[in-house]
Amino acid sequence: MSLLQFTGPPVPHYIISGLAYFLPGYIHMNRQHIQVFDLLFVREGCLYLGEEDRRYEVRAGEALILRPDCHHFGTEGCREDTSYYWLHFQTSGTWSPVTVPSASLKAEDTVDECSHSALFDVRTFNLWLSQYMTLLQPARMEELLAQLEQLKVNAHLDSVRFKQQILFQEVLQQLSASMHREQTVSLTTACAEQAASFLRAHYREEITTGMLGDSLNFHPVYIARCMNREYGCSPMEYLLRYRIEQSKLLLMQTSFPIARIAEEVGFNQAPYFSSSFMKLEGISPRQYRQRFS
């Protein structure tokens, strides 16, 4: 499967779109390095396309994303009446092609939630889109693209351009949702994500590696290996850092005593909380609170 990985923010943005109708015999144009992503969504009929050494037959309810840095071309003429929406988009952020599912992605390719960072730092995220896919909700995709088409006449207005971008973000959501999870997320990634979700949901409670393993039906050693690969830390390190992040919110937003905050975020002993906070943040909880007083 050919995937495209986008890192945001910034998220990809809409440029222009349109609706095309073609009779039998039409061959898609031959273009290369057009500098924008070209999304094609077929309403009826079939488009026969190639990109570099790959060949596609894009039928009704299917979508294809052509890359901005490749050569794409028609491989044969349409065999029946064909209509499709096209949409150009681009990103000012980073993107890369991924020829294998995320099983091959290393920990540094994901958001490292265990690294030291300021509370208000913007955290990046990855958006994976398949270049070729069958839409889960083709009618909804057609509705969104039809709305973008209707807005073109007033695209000189700021409010309309803003609405175009909002609609396009839902287009991206539709594309992302249409990817089968089992094709894009490895067992390693799935295990790590499940463990992280469990730790976040139960961080106020006393958690052991055995409890985590029983809850996820994975061996604790395997869970630790998965989390080290995906997040760069062990489950208990992840839990500790998440508890500290939650304590920082309470230090800013409440007047709770330090001992109560320690209890609220899952620490049995206030001194251990304070020493852990100092180790990760370089200052004491009290000093951190004074920053915002």
Side-chain angles (χ1 to χ4, degrees), residues 14-82:
Y14 169 87
I15 299 175
I16 193 171
S17 59
L19 176 60
Y21 296 89
F22 294 105
L23 298 174
Y26 165 78
I27 300 178
H28 194 276
M29 64 185 68
N30 187 326
R31 299 183 299 187
Q32 60 182 346
H33 305 295
I34 62 173
Q35 305 303 311
V36 293
F37 292 92
D38 190 3
L39 167 65
L40 307 176
F41 170 71
V42 176
R43 293 174 45 189
E44 59 179 343
C46 182
L47 286 175
Y48 301 88
L49 292 159
E51 183 181 75
E52 302 295 348
D53 60 347
R54 298 177 296 276
R55 302 293 182 268
Y56 301 98
E57 294 183 7
V58 191
R59 305 182 185 280
E62 297 179 344
L64 175 68
I65 301 176
L66 299 169
R67 286 168 46 178
D69 59 341
C70 290
H71 173 213
H72 61 261
F73 48 89
T75 57
E76 65 173 274
C78 296
R79 302 174 186 174
E80 57 189 315
D81 289 347
T82 298

Side-chain angles (χ1 to χ4, degrees), residues 85-268:
Y85 283 100
W86 57 268
L87 185 153
H88 290 170
F89 69 94
Q90 188 52 280
T91 180
S92 55
T94 60
W95 72 276
S96 61
V98 182
T99 54
V100 259
S102 58
S104 65
L105 298 180
K106 299 178 182 178
E108 57 265 25
D109 294 318
T110 64
V111 179
D112 184 0
E113 297 193 52
C114 292
S115 62
H116 170 73
S117 63
L119 184 61
F120 301 111
D121 281 355
V122 175
R123 292 185 176 179
T124 60
F125 60 90
N126 290 322
L127 169 68
W128 286 281
L129 300 178
S130 176
Q131 279 198 256
Y132 174 58
M133 73 196 78
T134 299
L135 275 299
L136 289 178
Q137 295 182 292
R140 179 55 182 162
M141 176 63 80
E142 184 173 347
E143 180 183 347
L144 291 168
L145 294 171
Q147 290 182 50
L148 286 168
E149 181 71 7
Q150 294 169 1
L151 290 174
K152 283 167 58 176
V153 66
N154 292 316
H156 59 288
L157 302 174
D158 286 341
S159 60
V160 172
R161 288 198 293 271
F162 179 56
K163 187 172 183 179
Q164 287 175 324
Q165 298 303 327
I166 294 175
L167 288 171
F168 177 60
Q169 296 311 307
E170 187 170 347
V171 168
L172 291 178
Q173 289 180 333
Q174 290 292 321
L175 295 173
S176 179
S178 297
M179 295 179 60
H180 297 295
R181 183 175 179 84
E182 62 270 20
Q183 292 178 305
T184 59
V185 179
S186 69
L187 182 60
T188 298
T189 304
C191 175
E193 290 179 349
Q194 290 177 36
S197 295
F198 180 88
L199 294 171
R200 285 171 173 264
H202 300 278
Y203 74 92
R204 294 185 179 90
E205 306 166 17
E206 184 175 350
I207 299 175
T208 65
T209 56
M211 180 191 305
L212 184 62
D214 291 341
S215 299
L216 272 60
N217 291 318
F218 287 116
H219 194 282
V221 174
Y222 178 73
I223 296 174
R225 188 184 307 128
C226 292
M227 292 205 71
N228 266 301
R229 173 169 177 165
E230 297 299 322
Y231 298 114
C233 60
S234 70
M236 293 302 104
E237 290 171 333
Y238 186 99
L239 176 62
L240 176 64
R241 292 181 181 275
Y242 188 73
R243 283 171 167 168
I244 295 299
E245 288 299 311
Q246 297 307 303
S247 74
K248 287 157 71 174
L249 293 174
L250 293 176
L251 287 166
M252 283 194 304
Q253 298 171 356
T254 74
S255 58
F256 293 164
I258 302 300
R260 178 175 175 183
I261 290 178
E263 183 180 352
E264 289 285 337
V265 298
F267 286 89
N268 291 328

